[in-house]
Every structure is written in structure tokens, then in C-alpha cells.
Amino acid sequence: MSEAGRFPDDFLWGVATSAYQIEGAWKEDGKGPSIWDTFSHTAGKIVDGSTGDVACDHYHLWRQDIELMKDLGVQGYRFSVSWPRVLPDGFGPVNEKGLDFYDRLVDGLKEAGIEPFVTLYHWDLPQSLQDIGGWTNRSVAYYFADYATVLSRRLGDRVRFWMTHNEPWVVAWIGYGWGHHAPGLTSARAALQVSHHLLLSHGLAFPVLKDSGNQSKVGIVLNLSPVYPATESEQDQEAARRQDGFLNRWYLDPIFVGAYPADMWSLFGNLVPKVEAGDLSLISKPVDFLGVNYYSRSVVADDPAGGLTKTRSVRVPESEYTEMDWEIYPQGLYDLLMRLHRDYRAPTLYITENGAAFKDEVAEDGSVRDERRLRFLREHFVQASRAIQDKVRLKGYFVWSLMDNFEWAFGYTKRFGIVYVDFSTQKRILKESAKWFRQVIKENRVV
Ligand code: FCB
């Protein structure tokens, strides 16, 4: 048994970002508009009225950002490709200049000894595909597979790790169910249909990406949150089960079991999605890995007035919360990993996102002392290492995020980076947590 807090030799440490949140260059070099361009340019959608037009200007500063990662010593970089940068209309002619950008980025990473982990869809759907219904339209799943073909042909000789989707639950519910994200629709029926089409598109793109190179590893990234009942009462335990079905099992079961969870199917009643014969067998082709985004747990009570799942979130008074008002609960990461191992015999796992937003300030001496983020990460790393000791096949850990960026509907008001970004000058400053992370990577243990 290895020493507590020490990670296996082949463990991979990385950082994560996504295209719309960092790239900027929203209409340069032939890029088409995405639903996030449209949404952020619509008054009232983003709390600070900002957009991702410039963001971290990574489209121009990527070389410097690779240097930053090299300096931190990260071994992997998880980023996403902007679909409309590569295919301005979502399908049809390729925008070579857009594709070239990712080609250079991948080369730059390889030269720096950093393994690229590429996400195909981190929420920036080409606007022209939204114009035909977006993910409510089944054909978009097929366009997604064609997009995967374009990427695999061009990058597949160098990219080994592919992720089809980032957080289908968020796309479905926050984007189509509740409208806080692009495209801003508010229909539970649409959300459920979208959840199925996202999974279907994963299933369609999977063999394409598998074929792109003989070593390619293909997975999907889910936002998972272990659910705990507010009290031990029978009702609250049932409520927790429903919430777990809503957040977690609705995605895990199709992928790992090949079926939607029966209890949720009946709970959703006539809102259930249209599923065609053969869809679930495509969706359940064994993935090489599962990407886990973990930020917080969910604590719920039974509440007949609580929407579709008849639940209500409960605040834990003795807990600490981040700037997102998410409870800090490191133990939840351990519980979640053990559960995936136990209930789903999960294959290789990566933590593809974990991190926290806090108020950061640049001190007089130019430093950013983000002790709370450092503590947050340390406590979560400890839980990850416990899970590995308990035989979970966790192979790597990506901190969200490399740098402060456009946090969706919160604009630039929430800082998740381990690197501080001054958005008026694009200056990057390593926060204390970044310096500490560098040490963790170097020693491969929680320092
Ligand atoms: C996740 C998203 C990521 C970022 C973090 C804070 O849900 O995948 O883009 O917004 O939350």
C-alpha cells in the first residue's frame, strides 16, 4: 500500500479550460457564430453584461499560455474545440484557418510535453444548427458525428484522448430546461429530448474517434454530484434517490447499463424523450474512460412542490460555501468515485474538472494569495488519493481552471483560475494555489 497522499507514478496532473470561456476572437478567421455568441450578446443574459468576444484572448496568446502550463509542470491539458470555428455552419465546408489553430495548439502542446485532452462539445453549438432546433433536432447528432470525423482526420495522428461531450445535464437543463444558459429555452420536454440526443451523438461519434488512431482513448465528461438526504426520513431518502436519478443515473445508466433508469422514466411520464431502436446500444458501447466533473454534493429534502423531482435543496449551515454558493464537501468526491467503482464498475476515471471560485485580489506586492482555493484543492486531492488506495482506477486530475475566464451567465464575476487574469491588460499572474500545485505535481503527492 502506498503512502497516503502519494499518487501512482503514471498519474496525470492537468488543467482544464473550454473554447468559449478563453479563446475570444469570436469572429476572426472565418469563425461562425455560436449560440453563446448570440446569448451573451442578448441584453440581460449575462450578469455583468459581458461577452466572450475577447475573454482571455487565448486565440492569440496560446503560445504564452502553453509556456504558463510548462512552467507549472502540468502533464495534460484539457481544452475544447469550438465547433463553429472549424465548421462555421455546423456542417459543410471546413474553415481551414480555424482548424489550423487547433493543429498548431496540439503541436505546441506536444512539443512542450503536454498531453492534449480534447473535448468536442463544451456548449458552443453553431448558431446555424440552433436555427434548425439545436439539440432538440435529431439530425444535429449526426452532424456532430461528421464534425468528429473532421477533427479525427486532422488531429487524430497526435491526439490520443478525446471527450465527446462536457456535462450533458447542464446543456439539457440549464440551456433548454431553465434557460439560464444558451440557447435560453425553458421546456422540460425539450431538455429531456436534448439529453437523449446528446447521448446519441456521443454514441455516433464514439466509433469515429476510436478509429482516428490506434491508441485513441475516447470518453465522455459528466457533471456528477453525490446526493444525500437532508434527514434520515423515508421521504427524504426517496427524494435523494430521485435527485440522484435526475442528476446522475439518467446519464450513467444509458452509458454503462444500456437503459434509462426505470424509476425516472416513469417519474417523467409523458415528458420522456423519443428514443429509436438501436440508440441505446450505440450509447452503451464501452467507453475507454469516464471524465468526472466534481464541484459539490447535493443535499435534498422531499418537497411535493419541488418541480419534476419533487425535491428541494437544503443548505448545510455548518458548511463553508464558495463564491458560486456551492458547498465545499471534499468527502463527496471520495463517495462519488467509490460509487462509480461499485455500482458501475467504471473503467478508467479522470477527474476532468474540480476547482472553486473565490474572491481573489492582487496584493500590493503583486501576489494573489488564494489560501482558500489552495485548501480546497488540497482537501480534494486527499480524497482522490484515498479512493485510489481503495482500488478506484483514477488516472488523472484536471484542475478547473488554468486561468480566470468567462464563467457563462456569471461573466467575469467568478474567478476559478489558479492563474489570475487581468482582463484589461491580459496579464497573467500565478496565484499561490498555482505555485503550490506546481509542487504537488513535482513531488506527485499532496504537499
Ligand atoms: C462546469 C463547466 C465549466 C465551468 C465550471 C465552473 O460546469 O464545465 O465550463 O463553468 O463548471
Side-chain angles (χ1 to χ4, degrees):
M1 171 111 3
S2 57
E3 161 204 346
R6 173 165 284 290
F7 287 81
D9 289 342
D10 60 352
F11 197 76
L12 184 138
W13 292 101
V15 285
T17 63
S18 85
Y20 188 72
Q21 295 180 274
I22 65 163
E23 284 179 1
W26 74 299
K27 44 178 173 181
E28 250 176 89
D29 292 342
K31 176 185 165 293
S34 81
I35 56 173
W36 271 94
D37 293 315
T38 308
F39 192 75
S40 67
H41 281 261
T42 307
K45 300 295 186 190
I46 311 297
V47 290
D48 57 358
S50 65
T51 68
D53 293 2
V54 178
C56 304
D57 201 21
H58 173 76
Y59 188 75
H60 300 111
L61 302 177
W62 61 274
R63 283 189 191 82
Q64 160 185 337
D65 292 334
I66 291 180
E67 284 308 311
L68 210 56
M69 288 189 261
K70 229 166 116 178
D71 176 29
L72 293 175
V74 299
Q75 298 135 351
Y77 174 44
R78 173 176 178 244
F79 63 95
S80 76
V81 172
S82 157
W83 185 349
R85 198 181 286 293
V86 172
L87 292 160
D89 291 322
F91 60 92
V94 169
N95 175 36
E96 291 299 336
K97 280 192 172 168
L99 197 45
D100 286 348
F101 169 70
Y102 298 105
D103 201 66
R104 289 193 298 268
L105 180 63
V106 165
D107 279 344
L109 289 166
K110 287 271 175 184
E111 260 161 50
I114 300 169
E115 187 72 47
F117 278 66
V118 180
T119 309
L120 270 66
Y121 189 73
H122 203 125
W123 308 353
D124 44 355
L125 189 74
Q127 180 60 45
S128 53
L129 294 183
Q130 192 59 46
D131 298 341
I132 57 163
W135 290 106
T136 63
N137 183 338
R138 188 175 166 99
S139 18
V140 170
Y142 293 84
Y143 291 134
F144 180 74
D146 295 342
Y147 161 52
T149 306
V150 171
L151 293 188
S152 95
R153 283 200 186 132
R154 181 66 176 273
L155 306 175
D157 56 335
R158 284 151 293 152
V159 172
R160 286 177 54 217
F161 294 89
W162 300 98
M163 288 144 290
T164 52
H165 280 283
N166 180 68
E167 304 190 341
W169 178 89
V170 173
V171 174
W173 286 99
I174 308 194
Y176 289 77
W178 303 321
H180 306 307
H181 280 182
L185 302 186
T186 50
S187 155
R189 182 188 304 282
L192 285 168
Q193 189 62 61
V194 164
S195 69
H196 178 64
H197 287 157
L198 291 168
L199 290 173
L200 172 65
S201 72
H202 158 79
L204 292 166
F206 181 80
V208 172
L209 297 168
K210 277 304 286 177
D211 278 352
S212 64
N214 49 12
Q215 292 201 320
S216 70
K217 304 276 184 214
V218 185
I220 184 169
V221 173
L222 302 179
N223 55 299
L224 298 171
S225 179
V227 184
Y228 305 81
T231 72
E232 288 307 302
S233 78
E234 196 61 32
Q235 290 89 328
D236 285 353
Q237 292 192 40
E238 272 304 308
R241 186 156 173 79
R242 293 192 298 275
Q243 180 72 359
D244 177 55
F246 180 65
L247 286 176
N248 304 318
R249 288 184 287 119
W250 188 257
Y251 305 87
L252 289 166
D253 284 19
I255 294 167
F256 291 109
V257 186
Y260 283 103
D263 59 333
M264 300 312 289
W265 193 268
S266 77
L267 181 81
F268 293 148
N270 61 15
L271 296 175
V272 293
K274 191 163 178 309
V275 174
E276 292 188 10
D279 287 0
L280 282 154
S281 79
L282 284 172
I283 294 169
S284 58
K285 290 279 174 297
V287 286
D288 296 310
F289 66 92
L290 173 69
V292 175
N293 290 357
Y294 175 75
Y295 288 95
S296 188
R297 67 165 165 176
S298 162
V299 180
V300 296
D302 178 53
D303 182 354
L308 213 49
T309 56
K310 303 190 174 13
T311 58
R312 162 172 54 87
S313 300
V314 173
R315 232 185 137 77
V316 184
E318 59 278 14
S319 281
E320 214 187 310
Y321 286 75
T322 69
E323 270 301 293
M324 297 295 281
D325 212 21
W326 295 344
E327 184 193 356
I328 303 178
Y329 193 68
Q331 163 88 32
L333 178 59
Y334 175 82
D335 293 351
L336 170 64
L337 293 172
M338 293 309 288
R339 190 266 179 111
L340 292 170
H341 185 61
R342 194 182 57 232
D343 293 359
Y344 292 97
R345 299 173 194 284
T348 297
L349 300 175
Y350 286 92
I351 312 268
T352 35
E353 289 181 27
N354 172 245
F358 291 111
K359 277 220 155 54
D360 296 314
E361 265 150 42
V362 185
E364 294 253 324
D365 65 359
S367 66
V368 182
R369 295 190 208 98
D370 59 337
E371 289 91 1
R372 296 181 72 198
R373 181 173 296 100
L374 191 159
R375 208 174 348 111
F376 178 100
L377 291 173
R378 178 194 282 135
E379 287 168 6
H380 285 80
F381 290 178
V382 167
Q383 297 298 326
S385 119
R386 272 183 71 207
I388 294 171
Q389 302 218 330
D390 290 340
K391 305 273 182 294
V392 170
R393 287 180 291 270
L394 178 67
K395 296 294 184 199
Y397 202 125
F398 294 81
V399 170
W400 184 273
S401 177
L402 166 63
M403 55 188 160
D404 297 335
N405 57 46
F406 178 81
E407 179 49 34
W408 309 112
F410 293 99
Y412 297 99
T413 66
K414 308 287 179 201
R415 293 181 175 271
F416 271 94
I418 55 172
V419 174
Y420 184 92
V421 177
D422 178 332
F423 292 101
S424 60
T425 61
Q426 291 298 343
K427 189 169 170 221
R428 276 82 159 130
I429 305 171
L430 297 197
K431 301 181 191 177
E432 287 309 301
S433 59
K435 297 179 188 164
W436 168 82
F437 187 42
R438 171 161 59 195
Q439 205 55 32
V440 170
I441 299 172
K442 197 161 165 211
E443 299 188 24
N444 202 26
R445 67 185 180 93
V446 188
V447 291

